């Protein structure tokens, strides 16, 4: 894959940049498009999580995750990121630094962006959690997901779920008023590929379209 969109060929596989991007966003889109399956999987995983929680340091929480009411027993030391990824198998939120410094794990709790690696799962009891898997409406991508595709706002895609969750919050908070302001309020989300120009353009487009 190259920045110029040239095709990379091997004897076994042929990919172009667009295909890779579509596949990357597809991590969100596919999961979202198959939202029912994802929710069913998460529900089943929650049951597993309850069985797996160690006795003595467990508590029961009842969050609503991506619109689905859940009830599960957790280890009180579990981070929200680990609850999502390890117990519910919602792997859109990424573990980058695990120290609140990269933004790859960004999700929404009660509509506000949080670093899920720094948020205890115990804190989301009876609260609303939205992850990248919960954004699309069936086959239809969230406008910010679509804008990231349209503005070529990713390369490897590792930071993209966190960037999109932060980007939606940035617009909803009213901070996407200029490119400088977008840069300032997205500064907690690091992109190792340096896709910042496209990211800012995508956010600006969504803000101007009033779609977030
Ligand atoms: S993994 Fe949470 S901020 Fe880096
Ligand atoms: S697109 Fe690779 S880390 Fe951002």
């Amino acid at each position: 894959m190259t920045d110029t969109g040239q095709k990379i060929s091997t004897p076994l596989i042929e990919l172009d940049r667009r295909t890779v991007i579509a596949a990357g966003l597809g991590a969100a889109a596919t999961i979202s498009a198959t939202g029912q399956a994802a929710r069913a999987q998460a529900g089943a995983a929650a049951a597993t999580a309850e069985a797996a929680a160690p006795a003595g340091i467990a508590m029961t929480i009842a969050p609503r995750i991506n619109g689905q009411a859940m009830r599960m027993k957790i280890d009180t030391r579990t981070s929200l990121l680990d609850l999502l990824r390890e117990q519910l198998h919602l792997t859109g939120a990424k573990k980058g630094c695990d120290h609140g410094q990269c933004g790859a794990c960004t999700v929404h709790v009660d509509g506000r962006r949080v670093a899920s690696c720094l948020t205890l799962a115990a804190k989301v009891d009876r609260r609303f959690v939205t992850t990248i898997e919960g954004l699309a409406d069936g086959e239809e991508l969230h406008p910010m997901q679509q804008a990231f595709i349209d503005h070529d706002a990713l390369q490897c895609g590792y930071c993209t779920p966190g960037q999109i969750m932060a980007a939606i919050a940035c617009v909803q908070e009213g901070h996407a008023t200029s490119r400088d302001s977008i840069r300032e309020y997205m500064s907690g989300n690091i992109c190792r590929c340096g896709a910042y120009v496209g990211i800012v353009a995508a956010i600006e487009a969504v803000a101007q379209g009033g779609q977030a």
Side-chain angles (χ1 to χ4, degrees):
M1 181 174 63
T2 75
D3 279 345
T4 58
Q6 294 169 319
K7 288 190 174 182
I8 301 170
S9 299
T10 71
L12 295 176
I13 189 166
E14 183 175 48
L15 297 174
D16 63 25
R17 178 164 164 68
R18 235 345 125 176
T19 305
V20 173
I21 288 171
L25 276 244
T30 301
I31 293 171
S32 299
T34 56
Q36 275 194 321
R39 282 189 286 275
Q41 183 186 29
T48 305
E50 177 151 6
I57 50 174
M59 69 175 286
T60 299
I61 60 171
R64 183 173 285 271
I65 298 178
N66 294 334
Q68 183 184 9
M70 294 186 177
R71 185 176 180 83
M72 67 199 82
K73 196 171 284 185
I74 60 162
D75 183 321
T76 52
R77 300 163 295 183
T78 304
S79 72
L80 175 57
L81 179 60
D82 284 344
L83 175 74
L84 294 170
R85 291 183 56 85
E86 308 298 334
Q87 293 179 234
L88 300 179
H89 306 303
L90 294 170
T91 55
K94 297 293 184 284
K95 184 176 285 190
C97 63
D98 209 19
H99 284 81
Q101 294 174 350
C102 74
C105 65
T106 304
V107 301
H108 294 178
V109 175
D110 290 343
R112 301 184 65 180
R113 51 176 150 171
V114 301
S116 60
C117 69
L118 292 187
T119 304
L120 283 172
K123 288 189 68 176
V124 302
D125 184 29
R126 297 189 299 275
R127 298 175 76 179
F128 292 83
V129 178
T130 305
T131 71
I132 192 79
E133 290 91 345
L135 285 188
D137 182 6
E139 298 278 338
E140 190 172 341
L141 293 178
H142 185 283
M144 192 64 78
Q145 290 174 304
Q146 188 60 54
F148 267 59
I149 294 173
D150 296 343
H151 292 273
D152 219 10
L154 66 152
Q155 290 186 36
C156 79
Y158 193 81
C159 72
T160 308
Q163 297 280 4
I164 289 175
M165 299 308 292
I168 292 168
C170 179
V171 174
Q172 291 178 343
E173 291 160 5
H175 294 311
T177 51
S178 68
R179 293 190 175 191
D180 282 348
S181 181
I182 291 170
R183 288 190 197 98
E184 174 69 21
Y185 284 93
M186 290 294 292
S187 61
N189 288 75
I190 307 301
C191 175
R192 63 188 174 184
C193 298
Y196 296 114
V197 172
I199 291 169
V200 171
I203 296 170
E204 189 174 43
V206 172
Q208 288 175 352
Q211 298 171 296

